[in-house]
Amino acid sequence: MRHRLKDVAERAGVSVKTVSNVVNGYAHVRPDTRARVLEAIELLGYRPNLNARNLRRGRTGVIALAVPELDLPYFAELARHVVAAAARHDWTVLIDQTGGDPTREREVASGIRDHMIDGLVFSPLALTGADLAAVHPTPMVLVGERVDHAGADHVAVDNVAAAHDMTAHLIGTGRRRVAAIGAQHTVEGVTARLRLAGYTAALEAAGLPVDPTLIAPATHWHRADGAAAMRALLESGARPDAVFCFNDTLALGALRALHDAGLRVPDDVAVAGFDDIEDGRYSVPTLSTVAPDKADLAALAVDLLAARIAAPDGAPPGERTVPHTLHVRESTAA
Amino acid sequence: MRHRLKDVAERAGVSVKTVSNVVNGYAHVRPDTRARVLEAIELLGYRPNLNARNLRRGRTGVIALAVPELDLPYFAELARHVVAAAARHDWTVLIDQTGGDPTREREVASGIRDHMIDGLVFSPLALTGADLAAVHPTPMVLVGERVDHAGADHVAVDNVAAAHDMTAHLIGTGRRRVAAIGAQHTVEGVTARLRLAGYTAALEAAGLPVDPTLIAPATHWHRADGAAAMRALLESGARPDAVFCFNDTLALGALRALHDAGLRVPDDVAVAGFDDIEDGRYSVPTLSTVAPDKADLAALAVDLLAARIAAPDGAPPGERTVPHTLHVRESTAA
């Protein structure tokens, strides 16, 4: 049974108007009355009709999640967590696949067409912090890439620490020629630069040389790119005994290339990824990876967005870091 | 260089107002004048400012693609194709992940909140044709599942023929105990029923018995479900020599379960999937699959939607079937 405003009012012994004032967050309600109404709401499990509330406030009840591409399972998994977190605020999430196109990214940061969204959880690829600071009239929380000076809340994993931890794990299993796949030397390649910095720091901490012939670039981070980079590393004569791939899809491509070359994983070459996508739990061999806490990242981003929508000029933009863990599986087992 | 309305008018020797009338599809333009304007538009590569046009017509320039879950790579790949096809109409696509929830599906079929979308490409899971016929005020094209009597355009692969073809391929490589993974006996499981019908027909055509112990159900179609169903088949003593999985993620889970059981693919058990997702081109072994033409499916759906938006009460709803092909890879190689 679904309770209505009237039931809450009766239970709390106040008028319907007073319940409505509490639900809408109006200030002129006495604290003890407010407490009584909130208690009745909780007791009855009353769920305010947020759609009607949104309309009165000029809101749509819709937020957007904008990501470069859903073909990367990381973003598809992130989308599921954001939809779940947004449901707790009674929001509909529409997902915008920008393809990393600057025009699309600008459009979405401006509220899509006619400002149809109340807010935006945004993983930008093309736009810089300065670009975003210039365009964003829509409440916005940035996720994933570290975009400085955007004037917006930002949630990310500590990419340097996470990459360091995985590289140190590979070194700890006795590997001495640890390659890296996924380097990008472009303005957009922020994540790649941070993961490369973590990789380099771990080698240096272990007293190992940073050998440029072991660092393979990848413009995109799909399986095909990982397979191509792995083949190039093998053909170059660099002879890696381990490879840290900057995401799991690169690593799954590398696994396939090693199989095609007749090399055993992890015996000949250990392989590690980043993201903990479902694919790596079922591949042969299963894939060791860095797992960012995606549910935590999504919940933090959505809660920050809710606060920002409620008070656009509230607290100064914040930086939040979500935890990560290493999952050691067959592909790097000692 | 980007041409404007004025350039088209000069080239066609007509007024700007006339060009505008042609671009907006108004009826009161003489056929020869219309032809001259269209020729000038083509020659100059003029691209009308659709956003302004949309506003004048009370349109948003936004369509939605609603799918049950983006975690299934099939839907993520479909989304990419729909975004590409919609770009040719200058439409923004917002993606709605319904989770197969009937309330969400009804909301999206009603135009999301305040009818913020002009149209919908919809892969429903929970709603029946009758449900959809009752709610849909938004121009809509259905994809994937075969939903009868919805009163809407519908694009799909021929699931019966496609499943028949793959099962016949397995029989053709000499397999005699071909199992099926992914059966669903629910109202929603339309795709599962069609693929099971194709599997059954192929066995019967080859004079092989339909053995119920070889048919494994799967409520969901993720890797975990495929692995669990494969383990159950092995433990049941049914002894399949091949398995046709109703999608690729089920098949990737089955591959892993066979590996864990110490069985060789395809030597001991051949494995086939459905969808041709990227994952199956890099797995060890690579996965044989049925490839629906996803680009064709997306383009057909978007073009039908464009026609429906232009003329909501135009032609009666149509049924279109997109072609499929078999990709034979390592997992079923003879």
Side-chain angles (χ1 to χ4, degrees):
Chain A
M1 168 187 169
R2 181 155 174 159
H3 290 282
R4 294 172 312 145
L5 215 58
K6 198 160 152 283
D7 305 318
V8 176
E10 270 173 24
R11 179 101 204 176
V14 300
S15 70
V16 167
K17 176 75 189 147
T18 300
V19 178
S20 169
N21 286 342
V22 171
V23 167
N24 285 296
Y26 296 140
H28 55 276
V29 181
R30 282 173 43 174
D32 59 327
T33 308
R34 181 184 302 276
R36 221 157 60 233
V37 170
L38 291 175
E39 195 183 57
I41 284 174
E42 195 167 339
L43 263 167
L44 296 175
Y46 169 74
R47 204 159 136 270
N49 184 335
L50 290 175
N51 207 359
R53 281 176 62 197
N54 287 327
L55 288 177
R56 275 200 300 281
R57 295 170 171 194
R59 291 189 192 149
T60 60
V62 177
I63 65 166
L65 167 68
V67 296
E69 43 178 343
L70 292 165
D71 278 15
L72 284 179
Y74 171 75
F75 289 116
E77 294 188 9
L78 181 66
R80 177 164 48 79
H81 290 295
V82 169
V83 168
R88 295 197 288 270
H89 293 268
D90 246 321
W91 284 337
T92 297
V93 180
L94 295 176
I95 300 160
D96 194 311
Q97 181 170 263
T98 63
D101 174 60
T103 308
R104 286 291 304 123
E105 291 197 346
R106 254 188 213 95
E107 188 184 45
V108 75
S110 310
I112 308 181
R113 306 208 177 165
D114 297 322
H115 301 279
M116 57 166 60
I117 54 169
D118 294 338
L120 173 64
V121 176
F122 192 12
S123 176
L125 193 64
L127 297 191
T128 65
D131 290 334
L132 286 169
V135 298
H136 86 92
T138 304
M140 176 168 80
V141 174
L142 300 173
V143 295
E145 307 268 304
R146 199 165 285 276
V147 181
D148 290 330
H149 312 300
D153 299 300
H154 179 243
V155 186
V157 74
D158 184 338
N159 278 296
V160 177
H164 173 281
D165 293 352
M166 182 51 92
T167 310
H169 157 68
L170 292 168
I171 297 167
T173 62
R175 310 290 166 155
R176 287 299 170 265
R177 293 191 57 72
V178 181
I181 289 182
Q184 295 174 338
H185 304 289
T186 58
V187 176
E188 295 82 15
V190 183
T191 304
R193 284 206 302 280
L194 296 170
R195 292 182 188 172
L196 187 64
Y199 158 83
T200 306
L203 293 177
E204 285 170 351
L208 292 172
V210 176
D211 178 351
T213 66
L214 286 171
I215 298 173
T219 309
H220 299 287
W221 282 6
H222 290 268
R223 289 173 183 78
D225 309 294
M230 191 72 241
R231 281 193 298 271
L233 275 174
L234 294 175
E235 286 161 13
S236 74
R239 306 191 63 80
D241 58 12
V243 54
F244 169 42
C245 300
F246 289 176
N247 82 353
D248 283 351
T249 38
L250 284 172
L252 291 165
L255 282 181
R256 179 71 214 184
L258 287 163
H259 175 86
D260 289 341
L263 291 167
R264 293 162 307 160
V265 177
D267 310 58
D268 299 319
V269 181
V271 175
F274 199 116
D275 284 344
D276 189 29
I277 63 173
E278 195 195 42
D279 319 37
R281 283 169 238 155
Y282 290 88
S283 55
V284 176
T286 52
L287 183 64
S288 296
T289 190
V290 178
D293 190 331
K294 280 169 275 194
D296 190 42
L297 191 152
L300 256 176
V302 167
D303 289 347
L304 283 170
L305 184 60
R308 192 56 64 186
I309 289 172
D313 304 310
E319 283 285 333
R320 303 293 189 87
T321 302
V322 297
H324 64 269
T325 44
L326 291 197
H327 289 311
V328 175
R329 302 199 186 106
E330 294 166 359
S331 69
T332 68
Chain B
M1 171 190 167
R2 179 154 178 161
H3 290 281
R4 294 172 312 145
L5 215 59
K6 199 160 151 283
D7 305 317
V8 176
E10 271 174 22
R11 181 99 202 179
V14 300
S15 70
V16 166
K17 176 74 187 148
T18 301
V19 177
S20 168
N21 286 342
V22 171
V23 166
N24 285 296
Y26 296 140
H28 55 278
V29 180
R30 283 173 41 174
D32 59 326
T33 307
R34 182 184 301 275
R36 222 158 59 233
V37 170
L38 291 176
E39 194 182 61
I41 285 175
E42 195 168 339
L43 262 168
L44 296 175
Y46 169 72
R47 202 158 136 271
N49 184 336
L50 291 176
N51 206 0
R53 279 175 65 197
N54 287 326
L55 288 177
R56 274 199 302 280
R57 294 170 171 195
R59 292 190 191 148
T60 59
V62 176
I63 65 166
L65 167 69
V67 296
E69 44 179 342
L70 292 164
D71 278 16
L72 285 179
Y74 171 76
F75 289 116
E77 293 188 8
L78 181 66
R80 176 164 48 78
H81 290 295
V82 169
V83 167
R88 295 197 288 271
H89 293 268
D90 245 322
W91 283 338
T92 297
V93 180
L94 295 177
I95 300 160
D96 195 311
Q97 181 170 263
T98 62
D101 173 61
T103 307
R104 286 291 304 123
E105 290 197 345
R106 253 187 213 99
E107 189 184 45
V108 74
S110 310
I112 308 181
R113 307 208 177 165
D114 298 323
H115 301 279
M116 57 167 60
I117 54 170
D118 294 337
L120 173 64
V121 176
F122 192 11
S123 176
L125 193 63
L127 297 192
T128 65
D131 290 334
L132 286 168
V135 298
H136 86 90
T138 304
M140 176 167 79
V141 174
L142 300 174
V143 295
E145 307 269 307
R146 199 165 287 273
V147 181
D148 290 330
H149 313 299
D153 299 302
H154 179 242
V155 186
V157 74
D158 185 338
N159 277 296
V160 177
H164 173 281
D165 292 354
M166 182 51 92
T167 309
H169 157 68
L170 292 168
I171 296 167
T173 62
R175 310 290 167 156
R176 287 298 169 266
R177 292 192 57 73
V178 181
I181 288 182
Q184 294 174 338
H185 305 288
T186 58
V187 175
E188 294 83 14
V190 183
T191 304
R193 283 207 302 280
L194 296 170
R195 292 182 187 170
L196 188 64
Y199 158 84
T200 306
L203 292 178
E204 285 170 352
L208 291 172
V210 176
D211 179 351
T213 66
L214 285 171
I215 298 174
T219 310
H220 298 287
W221 283 6
H222 289 269
R223 290 173 183 78
D225 308 295
M230 192 71 241
R231 281 193 300 270
L233 276 173
L234 294 175
E235 285 161 14
S236 73
R239 306 189 63 79
D241 58 11
V243 54
F244 169 41
C245 301
F246 290 176
N247 82 353
D248 283 352
T249 38
L250 285 172
L252 291 165
L255 282 182
R256 179 69 214 184
L258 288 163
H259 176 85
D260 290 340
L263 292 166
R264 292 163 306 160
V265 177
D267 310 59
D268 300 317
V269 182
V271 175
F274 198 116
D275 284 345
D276 189 29
I277 63 173
E278 196 195 42
D279 318 37
R281 284 168 237 156
Y282 291 88
S283 56
V284 176
T286 52
L287 183 65
S288 296
T289 190
V290 179
D293 190 331
K294 280 169 275 195
D296 191 41
L297 191 152
L300 255 176
V302 167
D303 289 348
L304 283 171
L305 185 60
R308 193 56 62 186
I309 290 172
D313 303 310
E319 282 286 333
R320 303 293 190 86
T321 302
V322 296
H324 64 269
T325 45
L326 291 197
H327 289 311
V328 175
R329 303 200 185 107
E330 293 167 359
S331 69
T332 68

